Amino acid sequence: FLAIALRHIEENLMATPHDWRRICGALQLLETLLRGAPPNSDDVVEDVLVGRMWFEVKAEPRLKFLATEFEYAEDSRVALMVRRRTNAVVAVAERTILREGFDEEQQREVARQRRAQHAAAEAAATSATASATAPAATVFGQPAEAAGQSHRGGDDSDALPRHGAPNGAALD
């Protein structure tokens, strides 16, 4: 899936100015992949999905062009929007994969550990919530054992007849 997304970004970054919407979509997708961590996270990098090598070889040259030389003759606002979006993507890349000391393998390992911790905490919370809120089996407001019934059925003498009529009377 990631390879398809990266190929999509490559192709759409190379689109003509007439297809500026495709360029903006590719820029948005690239920014999302570069961010990695959700917006409410305190971490700058949790699990960046774009590698530095791919970015430098495939995206960075085109981003430089889009940031400085992109023109759209029909509407100058479009050119301004594409340039701003491009600069935003470059800024995210500089904060993540292009920053000094960025080690992709180390970041992947940190992300794996955080995901494992999060999954363990979530499982513990779910388990505690499920056991605390599990309802006891009841029959007419009394525990099933007190009413002479087990959880799997048992004595039906106190229960309503299956036909729905009291005392087994036939329905007319």
Side-chain angles (χ1 to χ4, degrees):
F1 174 74
L2 182 59
I4 294 169
L6 294 176
R7 187 175 311 125
H8 175 80
I9 291 170
E10 279 180 68
E11 291 171 359
N12 288 304
L13 285 179
M14 298 305 290
T16 64
H18 180 70
D19 291 326
W20 62 269
R21 289 176 187 87
R22 290 177 51 203
I23 295 170
C24 285
L27 291 168
Q28 181 64 44
L29 178 58
L30 179 56
E31 183 177 358
T32 302
L33 294 177
L34 284 169
R35 284 190 190 279
N40 58 357
S41 174
D42 293 335
D43 304 322
V44 175
V45 177
E46 181 171 325
D47 195 10
V48 175
L49 296 174
V50 177
R52 182 178 189 143
M53 184 69 71
W54 179 88
F55 182 83
E56 289 177 344
V57 172
K58 301 287 187 170
E60 196 170 33
R62 183 63 177 173
L63 292 176
K64 286 180 181 178
F65 169 81
L66 291 173
T68 58
E69 300 178 32
F70 181 82
E71 292 293 330
Y72 187 68
E74 295 176 28
D75 191 346
S76 61
R77 296 174 297 175
V78 170
L80 182 62
M81 180 181 59
V82 169
R83 287 185 190 146
R84 284 184 181 166
R85 171 64 58 197
T86 302
N87 288 328
V89 170
V90 171
V92 170
E94 288 171 351
R95 285 195 320 264
T96 57
I97 62 174
L98 298 179
R99 77 169 194 258
E100 287 296 319
F102 179 78
D103 181 4
E104 287 182 51
E105 288 303 316
Q106 180 185 8
Q107 291 300 330
R108 285 189 188 112
E109 183 58 32
V110 168
R112 276 188 220 108
Q113 291 171 357
R114 286 186 185 143
R115 280 193 301 272
Q117 289 172 350
H118 179 71
E122 192 172 280
T126 302
S127 171
T129 303
S131 64
T133 61
T138 61
V139 175
F140 301 114
Q142 298 178 0
E145 289 78 17
Q149 296 193 10
S150 69
H151 294 289
R152 295 183 181 158
D155 183 16
D156 283 20
S157 61
D158 294 344
L160 287 176
R162 293 194 177 161
H163 300 290
N167 299 327
L171 295 175
D172 292 333

